[in-house]
Structures are given as C-alpha cells and as structure tokens.
Amino acid sequence: LQVGSSLGIRTVDLDGDGIVDHVEAHGWKSRAANTSQCWATVTAGEPPAVAKRVLSATICRGGSGMSGHRAAIAAGHDHRVVDVVPPVSLRRLPETANELARPLDAMSRDAIFLNNRGDLTCYDVRDGARRRWQLRTTAGWDNDGVVSPSLTAFSTRVGGYVDLAVAAGARSVFIVDAKGRRAAPTIELTTPPAAPLIVADVNRDGLHDLVLRTQFSTYVWIQKPKHGNLAFTFLLGCLTLVVLAT
C-alpha cells in the first residue's frame, strides 16, 4: 500500500481488477466530510468524479454497517474520540479448492484497520464489503499525543509473501496473519512507541525483524525459527521473537 494523504489514505488494487482503490480510515483527527468517526471507506477509480464507493463500514466493535454503528452508540459506546492509524492490505490466503489451485499472486487483498481501542478489523471488498474478522487486541493507545501507534504489513522472509500484520500500541505489539489468527506471542511493552514500528532484516539472516524506538531506547526483536509440534501453522514457529534492548 502507498500512503496517499495525511488523512491516512492508502492506494492499492484490492480485487485485482486493474483499478486503483483508495483505502481510508476515519478517526476523530482524520475524518473526511460527511463521514462517521471510527469508519472505513474504500473508493475504486479516479478521478473522484468517476470513483465508485465499494466499502463504507465501521471499524469499531458493534456492527458492520451504519445501523450497527448507530446501535453501538445508542448502547453507550462513544465513538467521538476514537483515533485510527493508516490501514494496510494483506493478500488473501487460499481457503477453497479453487483458490488453492490459483497462484498466490492471483489472490485478492483484504483491507486491515486498527483503532486506538485495539480493535483490529479485516474487510473483503470483493464479496460485497464483507467483514471477514475482527479482533480485540491489547495494541490500543490514549489520545494524548505521546504514543506513536502503527499498523504494518510484512512477510516472514525478505521478499516473501506479505500475509502478516503487526499492530503496535502503547502497551503491546500484536501480530496476526491474513486469516486473523495470532501469529506470534504478544510482545508486552514497558515504554510506549515514540515512532512507528519498523520491519527490517537487522542481522541479515533473510528473516524480517522488528525495530521500535521509544523515548529513551530502541528495541530490536530478532526473529528466530522454532522447531517442534505447535498448536498453529508454521507462522507461529517462524515468528518466535527475542527482545534485545540497546
């Protein structure tokens, strides 16, 4: 995804039709006109005069559309002070027999959103703007301007298939795969991030590592493959991380 503006717009071809999609998260500091807060929109095509809205839905818990969003507000969930970070996209992992027969590069993408309550939400714009999954994580933050939260898409290996998302909040780093499954143990933070998390191959072993700068320190998590019987897929083993403080 490419950053399109200060409002957190990302541009990417989500459904593989050759038309650029504009993916945007709307919060209290980055809300477009006539758009609710804690809201996601995806618009296909450009210029705006001929663009088509293919997604308009909440990224807060409590419903996948406007009616559910309003019902959540009526139930006492205040969406007026919800902050968001720019979204990311992940390629869909094969699930059906037809998808398994297709090349991975032919799979469409899903849009992933994160708000400051730690809600991590995935939408599929190809199948009628369907919400595929939503998780409550510990990667939230307060709207005090001190924390620099982030949401980043990455691959296990350098140059590999980008199917992981890492959410960095004030108190933890949470990693999931394209199906919404936790891909590694949650990383607890003692100091909030002072800059967005960086994914890089720090020790040049071909595996992506995590770098996070705080007010006083820079932390590096080195990815170490782990072998043996595991409860989840190989992603959990490949994403066992060791923390080093510098």
Side-chain angles (χ1 to χ4, degrees):
L1 283 172
Q2 300 295 320
V3 178
S5 81
S6 60
L7 290 178
I9 300 175
R10 305 281 191 166
T11 56
V12 63
D13 181 8
L14 289 172
D15 52 7
D17 61 357
I19 299 175
V20 173
D21 300 307
H22 302 268
V23 186
E24 185 171 3
H26 304 267
W28 75 286
K29 293 188 296 185
S30 57
R31 182 168 61 91
N34 302 318
T35 304
S36 298
Q37 296 184 38
C38 201
W39 203 256
T41 58
V42 176
T43 306
E46 51 186 345
V50 296
K52 176 184 177 182
R53 179 64 56 85
V54 295
L55 172 68
S56 180
T58 182
I59 51 177
C60 277
R61 294 172 64 89
S64 59
M66 181 62 77
S67 60
H69 191 78
R70 289 172 176 166
I73 294 175
H77 301 289
D78 188 359
H79 294 347
R80 293 175 297 176
V81 292
V82 176
D83 196 10
V84 296
V85 295
V88 299
S89 76
L90 296 179
R91 283 200 181 276
R92 180 83 61 80
L93 292 174
E95 296 178 353
T96 66
N98 290 336
E99 290 177 342
L100 288 170
R102 299 170 60 188
L104 289 178
D105 290 341
M107 297 294 294
S108 61
R109 292 177 175 268
D110 292 328
I112 316 294
F113 302 88
L114 175 69
N115 64 35
N116 72 313
R117 298 177 177 178
D119 297 333
L120 196 60
T121 307
C122 173
Y123 277 104
D124 171 16
V125 302
R126 182 187 62 176
D127 298 329
R130 177 174 59 93
R131 188 172 68 188
R132 298 195 68 228
W133 49 263
Q134 186 174 60
L135 304 174
R136 173 63 59 85
T137 76
T138 55
W141 65 93
D142 296 326
N143 295 323
D144 52 14
V146 176
V147 183
S148 293
S150 58
L151 180 62
T152 307
F154 73 108
S155 59
T156 302
R157 295 185 174 275
V158 176
Y161 192 74
V162 180
D163 61 350
L164 299 170
V166 52
R171 295 170 294 277
S172 68
V173 175
F174 196 88
I175 304 172
V176 298
D177 67 12
K179 292 185 178 181
R181 300 173 300 195
R182 188 166 63 173
T186 300
I187 301 172
E188 302 296 335
L189 302 176
T190 57
T191 307
L197 181 143
I198 297 173
V199 176
D201 182 8
V202 175
N203 56 354
R204 299 185 179 181
D205 63 352
L207 302 175
H208 274 135
D209 310 306
L210 306 180
V211 181
L212 189 65
R213 183 171 64 84
T214 66
Q215 183 178 1
F216 303 105
S217 304
T218 298
Y219 294 88
V220 179
W221 288 269
I222 302 298
Q223 187 184 149
K224 293 293 184 182
K226 181 179 178 182
H227 305 285
N229 295 325
L230 299 174
F232 298 97
T233 65
F234 72 95
L235 288 174
L236 178 60
C238 290
L239 286 171
T240 299
L241 305 174
V242 178
V243 62
L244 301 174
T246 61

